Amino acid sequence: RLVKLRKLQPPIDVLALTQQYADVKLLRLPVDADGVCLDLKVRNKRPTIFVNTGRSEERTRFTLAHELG
């Protein structure tokens, strides 16, 4: 839906797109997780997405897209 709504064309800058909807923190997480989104359903609060930089570039891109979805 977002691709259609925004009329996006490949290649899509997933990081820049995600940053339009949430604060994104790229860091090495001390747990075995690819990423996590906080405050997603908190009224009047912008969500924050933490992405584990200890993963491959492809996995990081997938995680950003997943958390955005």
Side-chain angles (χ1 to χ4, degrees), residues 15 18-20 22-26 46-51 64:
L15 176 58
T18 304
Q19 288 172 326
Q20 293 178 23
D23 294 326
V24 178
K25 308 290 184 190
L26 302 171
R46 186 172 167 90
T48 300
I49 297 173
F50 293 90
V51 179
L64 280 167

Side-chain angles (χ1 to χ4, degrees), residues 12-67:
I12 297 170
D13 185 343
V14 180
L15 176 58
L17 182 61
T18 304
Q19 288 172 326
Q20 293 178 23
Y21 296 93
D23 294 326
V24 178
K25 308 290 184 190
L26 302 171
L27 55 117
R28 184 175 282 278
L29 297 177
V31 295
D32 186 26
D34 294 328
V36 64
C37 182
L38 303 178
D39 301 324
L40 182 60
K41 295 184 180 184
V42 177
R43 184 178 289 242
N44 299 321
K45 195 160 186 186
R46 186 172 167 90
T48 300
I49 297 173
F50 293 90
V51 179
N52 191 349
T53 58
R55 306 291 195 228
S56 70
E57 184 177 332
E58 292 81 10
R59 188 64 192 185
T60 298
R61 181 177 162 84
F62 174 86
T63 301
L64 280 167
H66 172 80
E67 296 303 331

